[in-house]
């Protein structure tokens, strides 16, 4: 089945530093990838839609200069949390659609637990 | 903004019982999907039902969709302890929007 690999699975960083999270589709190509944020015991909130070869589309209230998204290839999207602060601590999950499958469901990575101290 | 809203928020049942979770949404959809999330992990796709379908089965899962009421239900039959997880519905207009989820606990 379609596999999305997300790395790292967890990261602890100091306030003010930047953290990069990678999302790879291992056995399919994804024109579009999605980045979600999830707080404890809450649902997933869509942060942005990552489009291969073009700029990401951010949801209302999400700072694009804070959460930099790059989708340089059909199998890789990255999310960089810049100048991280404790309030950025959260669970970040990426997902991708298989562009070769009509109405493909989203395939999710296992998430990245970010803790900013 | 979140569109799907699940109820109940939490459900605790005994192994072997059936579990029913409901989802309501607000706008028109192309399809509705159900996902499962184990604690601290990513989501796993369970089943997709298209807007022109009314019922769909997959193993122990049964999903119904009522577009007139803008609601869907997920039934897990003969539940097992391993079914313990959070379950989310997601509506797919242009992009997936997730509901708040139902936390299911199956006691053995």
């Amino acid at each position: 089945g379609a596999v999305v690999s997300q790395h790292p699975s967890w990261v602890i960083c100091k306030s003010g530093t930047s953290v990069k999270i990678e999302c790879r589709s291992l056995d399919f190509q994804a024109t579009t990838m999605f980045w979600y944020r999830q707080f404890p015991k809450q649902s997933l909130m869509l942060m942005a839609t990552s489009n291969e070869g073009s700029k990401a589309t951010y949801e209302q209230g999400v700072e694009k200069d804070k959460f930099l998204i790059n989708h340089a290839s059909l199998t890789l999207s990255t999310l960089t949390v810049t100048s991280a602060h404790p309030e950025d601590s959260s669970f970040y999950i990426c997902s991708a659609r298989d562009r070769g499958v009509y109405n493909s469901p989203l395939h999710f990575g296992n998430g990245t637990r970010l803790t900013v101290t | 903004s979140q569109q799907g809203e699940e109820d109940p928020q939490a459900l605790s049942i005994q192994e072997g019982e059936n579990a029913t979770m409901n989802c309501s949404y607000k706008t028109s959809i192309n399809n509705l999907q159900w996902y499962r999330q184990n604690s601290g992990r990513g989501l796993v796709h369970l089943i997709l039902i298209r807007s022109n379908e009314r019922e769909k089965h997959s193993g122990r899962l049964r999903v119904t969709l009522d577009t007139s009421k803008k609601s869907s239900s997920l039934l897990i039959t003969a539940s097992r302890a391993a079914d313990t997880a959070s379950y989310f519905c997601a509506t797919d207009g242009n992009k997936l929007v997730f509901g708040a989820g139902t936390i299911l606990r199956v006691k053995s």
Side-chain angles (χ1 to χ4, degrees):
Chain A
V3 176
V4 172
S5 173
Q6 189 172 339
H7 178 82
S9 56
W10 59 271
V11 57
I12 300 173
C13 70
K14 291 187 176 180
S15 190
T17 61
S18 295
V19 173
K20 180 185 284 187
I21 303 170
E22 291 189 348
C23 180
R24 292 180 186 272
S25 55
L26 296 187
D27 50 1
F28 66 95
Q29 292 183 329
T31 312
T32 304
M33 292 185 175
F34 302 88
W35 287 95
Y36 290 85
R37 181 173 181 174
Q38 185 179 34
F39 291 103
K41 299 189 179 181
Q42 294 188 27
S43 187
L44 283 73
M45 298 300 294
L46 180 64
M47 298 174 65
T49 303
S50 170
N51 304 298
E52 186 266 337
S54 64
K55 291 182 180 179
T57 304
Y58 290 82
E59 294 300 301
Q60 192 172 12
V62 178
E63 299 175 59
K64 60 181 180 181
D65 295 330
K66 172 78 173 173
F67 299 99
L68 299 179
I69 291 173
N70 184 278
H71 192 153
S73 77
L74 288 170
T75 60
L76 174 65
S77 175
T78 61
L79 168 68
T80 301
V81 183
T82 62
S83 186
H85 291 284
E87 58 265 31
D88 298 324
S89 297
S90 190
F91 191 56
Y92 293 87
I93 308 177
C94 72
S95 66
R97 290 187 194 280
D98 185 341
R99 74 167 190 164
V101 175
Y102 173 72
N103 230 356
S104 162
L106 286 186
H107 304 289
F108 283 83
N110 277 328
T112 297
R113 172 83 50 200
L114 170 63
T115 302
V116 184
T117 60
Chain B
S1 60
Q2 287 183 207
Q3 178 170 227
E5 295 293 335
E6 288 95 336
D7 80 86
Q9 290 185 323
L11 181 61
S12 182
I13 60 175
Q14 288 295 134
E15 202 165 30
E17 294 180 339
N18 296 340
T20 300
M21 288 160 270
N22 302 298
C23 167
S24 61
Y25 57 93
K26 296 176 182 174
T27 63
S28 58
I29 59 172
N30 295 325
N31 59 65
L32 185 143
Q33 302 175 40
W34 284 90
Y35 287 82
R36 165 201 168 119
Q37 183 182 34
N38 285 73
S39 180
R41 303 296 296 272
L43 275 70
V44 174
H45 179 255
L46 294 177
I47 197 165
L48 179 153
I49 186 165
R50 302 185 200 288
S51 59
N52 62 351
E53 297 176 310
R54 292 296 167 258
E55 187 172 312
K56 202 162 184 179
H57 297 255
S58 176
R60 293 185 295 114
L61 305 180
R62 173 177 167 248
V63 169
T64 62
L65 179 64
D66 186 334
T67 52
S68 66
K69 295 181 180 178
K70 291 186 168 57
S71 67
S72 174
S73 67
L74 170 67
L75 168 67
I76 303 175
T77 60
S79 64
R80 305 166 182 168
D83 294 330
T84 295
S86 293
Y87 292 82
F88 296 91
C89 71
T91 53
D92 189 2
N94 187 32
K95 56 194 176 187
L96 273 188
V97 178
F98 286 85
T102 293
I103 299 171
L104 173 66
R105 181 182 171 212
V106 181
K107 295 177 285 187
S108 55

